[in-house]
Amino acid sequence: MERIKMTTPLVEMDGDEMTRILWKMIKDDLILPFVDLKSEYYDLGLEHRNETNDQVTVDASNATKKYGVAVKCATITPNAARMDEYHLKEMWKSPNGTIRAMLDGTVFRAPIVVKGIEPNVRTWKKPITIARHAYGDVYKATEMKIPAAGKVELVYTKEDGTEERSLIHNFTGAGVVQGQHNICASIESFARSCFEYALSTKQDLWFSSKDTISKSYDHTFKDVFQEIFDAEYKEKFEASGIEYFYTLIDDAVARVMKSEGGFIWACKNYDGDVMSDMISSAFGSLAMMTSVLVSPHGYFEYEAAHGTVQRHYYKHLKGEKTSTNSVATIFAWSGALRKRGELDGLPELVKFADDLEKACLGTIENGVMTGDLARITTIPNPTTVDSEGFIKAIRKTLEENL
Ligand code: NAP
Ligand code: MG
């Protein structure tokens, strides 16, 4: 069989632990036999990040700016335990944080809905897409431990040297402080990405924050969304028959639980981080959630929403069988290949991406799945396979369909 040709390289970011094992299997069994893969490879595995003083993450982000489309494997965000485990020179920052800070934009996360895996929330009939702002807030915060009594203030030094101050707290004993920021340009592009994504997928858009408590910070987000909507999108939304509305995050959470799905829920950075885990788990499995970073400059970075599945990796290292679900990582590949195909005018590549996704869903619907899904499926007598067996089963379905 002639392999599908590509014209522009895909930026490939390898990662850590169990997902790194899956990454190689996916490439060897599901991509390389069908696609004459052109990729620029960056090893974001923690060892290599440490060797390069994390320069590799910066290089990979710059390559994404150059070529426009990237696919990323899950990576370890180091903590104290990882410092010892990997003998790190420094507690390197989260690669996703670095990439998002460089590309800006919004992360859209949507559950992969498949027959036989029913959501825990009975009313949910359609996927709920989380649009997570990918810049700033607690992810770019400066923190300080306050050892003893003293005054902590916010100080804004203007370009002319004059200062504006605001008291945070007069400490009478030890405590902690945190300084967060965001940038209006980033909030504006967040809003535009969400409005554009809602139009392109013909889904309602909800946005929520805590503006009642955070009267300057969160309220700015609310105002920016409303101004851009009124000025640029109101008519387009009406013409498409879709709706935008803002509500307090508490109210949004309550409404989401009673909804039937089929909309985009725009969230600030932290809310999106946490709520996407809740949405994906309630739709079935963390491993059935896609994630794409859409930058306002037109760059796309595809990944799985879950982490490196550390617990399974340690089993794998002991030589035990694992049953790790590779669907979200495969969908990262198919998403990136499809986008590359669309941008480069390669319909065969787009079709391959569709076929690969259909093969994943078809395999599960035929009753062959990993343990995480077998535990919750409504399909009677499912066949539980190991990590490798699942990828082989998808390969078989794919070949039968082609
Ligand atoms: P995790 O890798 O998402 O896994 C948490 C648990 O969820 C697993 O132990 C497993 O449950 C289940 N799970 C997740 N993905 C699965 C899959 N594909 N198939 C089957 N089960 C799956 O989160 P973590 O263990 O808290 O984090 C591990 C590392 O990932 C950390 O170092 C963290 O920094 C990193 N991380 C990276 C990203 C990213 O790069 N985007 C995101 C989050 C976390 P059972 O053990 O019950 O089977
Ligand atoms: Mg999270």
Side-chain angles (χ1 to χ4, degrees), residues 17-23 25 308-326 369-375 383-392:
E17 300 196 309
M18 201 58 212
T19 41
R20 188 180 180 98
I21 309 280
L22 297 179
W23 195 259
M25 291 185 199
T308 59
V309 210
Q310 181 182 18
R311 209 179 61 84
H312 295 205
Y313 181 61
Y314 288 170
K315 272 177 73 177
H316 169 85
L317 288 181
K318 280 193 263 168
E320 291 171 32
K321 285 268 178 220
T322 57
S323 186
T324 316
N325 187 338
S326 45
M369 58 194 83
T370 43
D372 56 319
L373 299 183
R375 278 196 293 276
T383 308
T384 308
V385 284
D386 62 23
S387 308
E388 197 176 3
F390 186 54
I391 289 171
K392 298 267 186 242

Side-chain angles (χ1 to χ4, degrees), residues 145-219:
K145 282 192 174 177
I146 305 299
K151 183 166 78 173
V152 179
E153 290 178 303
L154 282 179
V155 183
Y156 162 46
T157 312
K158 294 177 203 169
E159 277 187 316
D160 67 8
T162 56
E163 283 181 355
E164 212 170 284
R165 284 168 180 265
S166 174
L167 178 71
I168 294 178
H169 194 63
N170 249 324
F171 286 87
T172 53
V176 282
V177 284
Q178 182 185 66
Q180 295 188 23
H181 80 279
N182 223 297
I183 295 168
C184 288
S186 175
I187 305 170
E188 286 161 15
S189 62
F190 170 42
R192 286 197 180 90
S193 306
C194 293
F195 292 130
E196 290 290 339
Y197 197 81
L199 283 170
S200 78
T201 59
K202 290 211 181 333
Q203 298 184 87
D204 287 347
L205 177 68
W206 304 13
F207 177 47
S208 59
S209 76
K210 194 73 184 174
D211 64 293
T212 47
I213 299 297
S214 173
K215 289 188 167 56
S216 296
Y217 200 106
D218 280 18
H219 214 290

Side-chain angles (χ1 to χ4, degrees), residues 72 74-75 77 82 96 287 303 306-309 311-312 324-325:
K72 180 181 171 291
T75 46
T77 298
R82 301 296 196 169
N96 287 327
E303 57 171 348
H306 59 78
T308 59
V309 210
R311 209 179 61 84
H312 295 205
T324 316
N325 187 338

Side-chain angles (χ1 to χ4, degrees), residues 277-313:
D277 281 357
M278 182 198 68
I279 296 280
S280 63
S281 305
F283 265 103
S285 165
L286 256 182
M288 297 293 282
M289 187 89 164
T290 61
S291 182
V292 56
L293 173 70
V294 180
S295 123
H297 319 288
Y299 316 130
F300 297 83
E301 185 238 332
Y302 293 83
E303 57 171 348
H306 59 78
T308 59
V309 210
Q310 181 182 18
R311 209 179 61 84
H312 295 205
Y313 181 61

